[in-house]
Amino acid sequence: MLCACGFITTLNAQQDLKNSVCVVRQNYTDAESEAYEKMASTLFSNSYMSAARQLRKGTGSFGSGFLYKADNGKLYIITNKHVVRDAKSVQLLFKTEDGDKTIPNCGVIAKSDSTDIAIVEFPASETGFVPLPFHTEQVTDGTTVWSAGFPGLGDEPSWQLGNGIVSNGRYSNLELTDSAHVDVIQHTAQVDPGSSGGPLLILKETNKTITKEEMVGKKKQTVTETITEKTYEVVGMNTWKAFHRENVNFSLMSKDIVKVVNNLGAVSSSKTKDDVGLQKQVEKYVETFSESSSEMLPFISRKMITSLSEEQLTAMLKNISGNANNALRNGAAVEGLKIMVADNIKSPIQKPDQLKIGSVSVSGDAGTATFSYGKKQFTSTWEKTYDGWQLTSTDLIEPQKIKAKKTVDSGFRVLDLDAFHRVAFSFMAPIGNPFVVEDNTWRKTATYNDKVKFGFEYSLFCTDFLYWTIAFDYGKIDCTLDSYNMNWAVPMNTLTPIGTETSETRHFSALTGMGVQCPMAVKRIYFAPDIKAQIGFRKGMGEAKDNICFSPTIETTLNVGYMFDDEKIIYIGSGLNMKRFVGGFASDIYETNVKSIRYFIVKVGFLVY
């Protein structure tokens, strides 16, 4: 007997995105990593500490990507072009519930010329990973969206699934794309460094009705279940974050991504390896000699940067231009290095209109171009990349053709301590002991003998020179209280005390404030004049009254130390520390008129990035 038993509604588990979204890292050869390390050391020794740190981090940088199945049936990883940069291959890391899965040496097969999109080949032999479908319809303001990716946490990728809304479904800004006018999605789902290349998603719900028969006793019954399937669809790719505003993130639209992926054949065929392509690139390259150095950057390859010798790089840094200097100071290491190379390539060519192209030849992915300038001949080598033909070497910047300014060769430099941490231990010896306080009303005299104080300090540099600091110190003061005859007509200093009391005051201070330091170095010797102002409280302990008073403090020191590398400095410092005491002790004879105490301070500290 068949009968309807009713409806049972169940909810399916949501799709596991960790089988679809991965970490994307550029592959660096051992030679490239070694070259970047040597260049970072040279930048550090010339005071470009932010650029040195960025260059070292570059070999460990990463972004996100997601799996997609194109119209041709093949699987690809989609990510941002700025994630893969000029790498020929990348490493993929899936952090699934079953464990980490690394897929090395996946080729970068295409990059968009107009948008920040790159396509990575996914091995057909890899199974168990799920491509994400695209939702190409325009999303509207207020739509709930999800961001998935692997932002950095402690310099390591960490899975993050964020939730927000579309705050502007169609935002236009030409600065966010390379050359084309492409609208983007503005949203509030979490996006952090490392999220670049990850998908922006919507969650689609589909109800399915399943009818099945079950035996209940000796009878068959029909059971109908309504199952709600929840799947994610890609509406965009997270690419930019506005740091000067809160929760303002931008994603490329899925319709523009699909065009790039499904146009892979056209992208690949446009990068033909022939001498005509190199000839046109060389002609464009020559045109940049009449323009700013920044216009030459697309022609300079990573190989050109990593092949610079220490002698070349040092000489370039001594003749650095304002634009290159600003880029390196701001931590844009690769951009600053490319600007320096461009400056030195252009330097010998005073009249660009007289630079003539000679022969251009191609052999596979390699090419050679010659030039003439007056009676001089120059040769350059080129390499075919997915960013087009790029320069790998030129004899315009041979070491002997770079003349350093001798007047600058002193080793002196101003350091960049932005984001540095500082820990210091201090010893403070009082200046001017003892302090004698007379209370003629009650015919008493208090004599204070301050002892050595011990302190601990932590500081964080907010900029190159400005830092926030918090400090604690502990010390003791011996107090001798003398009582005199109550004859007010006779000065106390002419009388002999009729009674004496002694006590010990222990006190603890906690202070916070801001300081300014001018950090400088000659070779590896670090020195820095330092001044800071702090405000906090001082509390008595032991036999002293437990009153609390405020304690404004000013401290000036000169610090001298040794730099182990661009991230570690040990130093000693000495100077003057002056503390004022305000309120709290006004009615206590033990502390009454001790308004300020000066200390000679000696400290030992450590700076680390």
Side-chain angles (χ1 to χ4, degrees):
M1 179 177 179
L2 299 179
C3 65
C5 187
F7 293 92
I8 303 174
T9 302
T10 62
L11 182 66
N12 240 8
Q14 290 180 192
Q15 175 184 352
D16 186 3
L17 287 172
K18 292 182 181 179
N19 290 316
S20 306
V21 184
C22 63
V23 181
V24 180
R25 292 183 186 269
Q26 299 177 50
N27 280 332
Y28 288 86
T29 65
D30 292 341
E32 287 174 331
S33 298
E34 183 179 352
Y36 279 136
E37 176 60 34
K38 289 181 178 178
M39 295 175 76
S41 297
T42 303
L43 288 169
F44 157 70
S45 63
N46 285 270
S47 82
Y48 293 102
M49 301 174 75
S50 293
R53 292 193 292 268
Q54 188 61 39
L55 203 59
R56 282 172 173 158
K57 287 182 179 179
T59 56
S61 63
F62 56 86
S64 302
F66 60 96
L67 195 61
Y68 172 68
K69 188 174 183 179
D71 289 346
N72 58 14
K74 292 184 178 181
L75 295 177
Y76 300 99
I77 292 293
I78 303 175
T79 186
N80 283 137
K81 184 165 63 176
H82 76 259
V83 170
V84 302
R85 298 188 184 274
D86 54 356
K88 293 182 178 180
S89 67
V90 295
Q91 176 191 102
L92 306 178
L93 172 63
F94 286 87
K95 300 176 79 68
T96 67
E97 298 298 332
D98 297 328
D100 293 355
K101 171 66 175 180
T102 300
I103 306 176
N105 300 319
C106 297
V108 179
I109 60 174
K111 300 176 188 176
S112 171
D113 293 329
S114 58
T115 54
D116 196 352
I117 300 173
I119 310 299
V120 177
E121 192 170 22
F122 191 79
S125 59
E126 295 293 340
T127 59
F129 300 102
V130 182
L132 291 173
F134 274 88
H135 180 90
T136 56
E137 296 178 10
Q138 177 68 43
V139 291
T140 58
D141 296 355
T143 301
T144 299
V145 288
W146 303 80
S147 60
F150 291 87
L153 187 62
D155 293 332
E156 288 297 324
S158 176
W159 170 252
Q160 177 174 281
L161 180 63
N163 176 242
I165 64 167
V166 174
S167 49
N168 190 342
R170 187 182 293 276
Y171 177 77
S172 299
N173 190 327
L174 289 175
E175 294 181 1
L176 296 182
T177 54
D178 297 335
S179 59
H181 183 89
V182 177
D183 294 331
V184 296
I185 301 169
Q186 179 181 330
H187 63 90
T188 63
Q190 292 94 321
V191 170
D192 297 293
S195 297
S196 291
L200 183 69
L201 306 154
I202 59 172
L203 191 58
K204 299 285 288 187
E205 294 187 0
T206 304
N207 292 327
K208 290 187 177 180
T209 300
I210 299 176
T211 302
K212 59 183 180 180
E213 294 182 350
E214 292 184 353
M215 292 296 298
V216 180
K218 296 181 179 181
K219 298 180 180 180
K220 278 188 178 182
Q221 293 184 347
T222 301
V223 178
T224 303
E225 294 181 346
T226 300
I227 298 177
T228 302
E229 292 186 341
K230 291 189 175 185
T231 57
Y232 291 99
E233 294 184 357
V234 178
V235 295
M237 178 167 60
N238 298 312
T239 306
W240 303 280
K241 177 182 181 70
F243 284 97
H244 60 285
R245 289 178 59 185
E246 186 174 355
N247 288 337
V248 178
N249 308 306
F250 300 99
S251 299
L252 290 166
M253 292 184 176
S254 58
K255 63 181 181 63
D256 296 312
I257 303 171
V258 170
K259 289 178 184 177
V260 174
V261 179
N262 291 331
N263 197 35
L264 283 176
V267 172
S268 301
S269 64
S270 68
K271 302 204 177 278
T272 54
K273 303 168 184 176
D274 56 50
D275 55 347
V276 176
L278 178 56
Q279 178 73 37
K280 291 182 178 179
Q281 188 77 335
V282 170
E283 291 172 358
K284 294 178 181 178
Y285 165 71
V286 170
E287 292 175 2
T288 64
F289 280 80
S290 301
E291 301 170 350
S292 68
S293 295
S294 298
E295 300 300 321
M296 192 180 285
L297 302 193
F299 298 92
I300 300 173
S301 67
R302 186 165 76 183
K303 184 180 291 186
M304 182 82 175
I305 300 299
T306 56
S307 64
L308 291 174
S309 67
E310 183 177 357
E311 180 186 4
Q312 286 176 307
L313 181 56
T314 301
M316 288 181 183
L317 289 170
K318 294 185 183 301
N319 292 297
I320 192 168
S321 66
N323 288 337
N325 179 73
N326 291 337
L328 292 178
R329 291 291 181 200
N330 292 329
V334 175
E335 180 183 352
L337 292 170
K338 285 190 174 186
I339 293 175
M340 283 201 307
V341 169
D343 289 337
N344 283 273
I345 290 175
K346 295 174 62 176
S347 180
I349 311 300
Q350 302 298 320
K351 298 179 180 179
D353 58 319
Q354 296 182 14
L355 181 64
K356 306 299 180 183
I357 301 173
S359 62
V360 177
S361 60
V362 171
S363 176
D365 285 339
T368 302
T370 62
F371 307 89
S372 61
Y373 181 68
K375 296 181 179 181
K376 298 179 180 180
Q377 301 293 318
F378 303 106
T379 301
S380 62
T381 60
W382 298 73
E383 182 182 49
K384 184 68 173 176
T385 71
Y386 283 104
D387 288 325
W389 286 98
Q390 289 188 316
L391 192 66
T392 56
S393 70
T394 173
D395 51 14
L396 281 171
I397 56 170
E398 286 295 321
Q400 64 269 23
K401 296 189 178 183
I402 305 175
K403 303 298 181 182
K405 299 176 182 178
K406 296 181 180 179
T407 55
V408 183
D409 193 17
S410 65
F412 172 82
R413 59 199 184 277
V414 177
L415 301 178
D416 168 18
L417 297 185
D418 186 18
F420 263 70
H421 303 270
R422 180 175 70 178
V423 175
F425 298 91
S426 59
F427 309 87
M428 289 177 275
I431 301 173
N433 269 347
F435 297 93
V436 180
V437 180
E438 293 185 0
D439 186 351
N440 195 51
T441 302
W442 296 101
R443 305 293 283 177
K444 292 182 179 182
T445 298
T447 303
Y448 298 90
N449 281 284
D450 202 357
K451 302 294 184 67
V452 172
K453 292 164 61 71
F454 301 92
F456 170 79
E457 174 189 356
Y458 167 77
S459 304
L460 173 65
F461 280 80
C462 312
T463 67
D464 297 352
F465 308 105
L466 182 69
Y467 63 87
W468 166 80
T469 180
I470 184 171
F472 306 93
D473 58 56
Y474 169 82
K476 297 179 180 180
I477 293 179
D478 287 336
C479 178
T480 301
L481 186 65
D482 295 321
S483 301
Y484 295 88
N485 190 297
M486 301 295 283
N487 185 358
W488 286 272
V490 180
M492 285 192 301
N493 56 13
T494 64
L495 299 175
T496 300
I498 60 174
T500 299
E501 298 177 16
T502 61
S503 64
E504 180 184 73
T505 299
R506 289 177 290 168
H507 52 86
F508 170 82
S509 299
L511 305 161
T512 186
M514 301 296 293
V516 177
Q517 181 181 121
C518 183
M520 296 169 283
V522 176
K523 298 185 183 298
R524 290 191 175 271
I525 303 301
Y526 156 84
F527 59 99
D530 191 312
I531 182 170
K532 65 172 177 277
Q534 296 174 292
I535 183 68
F537 67 88
R538 178 183 176 188
K539 181 177 179 61
M541 296 181 289
E543 297 180 19
K545 300 291 185 180
D546 284 334
N547 299 39
I548 296 177
C549 72
F550 291 104
S551 179
T553 299
I554 294 179
E555 181 180 296
T556 60
T557 58
L558 176 63
N559 304 327
V560 179
Y562 179 78
M563 307 179 69
F564 294 97
D565 55 39
D566 61 342
E567 296 182 353
K568 300 181 183 67
I569 305 171
I570 189 169
Y571 72 93
I572 59 173
S574 63
L576 181 67
N577 180 291
M578 187 175 74
K579 298 182 181 298
R580 296 279 297 177
F581 303 111
V582 180
F585 296 126
S587 61
D588 187 354
I589 185 65
Y590 288 90
E591 302 287 350
T592 299
N593 292 315
V594 185
K595 297 299 184 185
S596 65
I597 302 178
R598 292 176 297 161
Y599 297 91
F600 174 73
I601 185 169
V602 177
K603 57 175 60 179
V604 178
F606 189 70
L607 283 156
V608 62
Y609 177 74

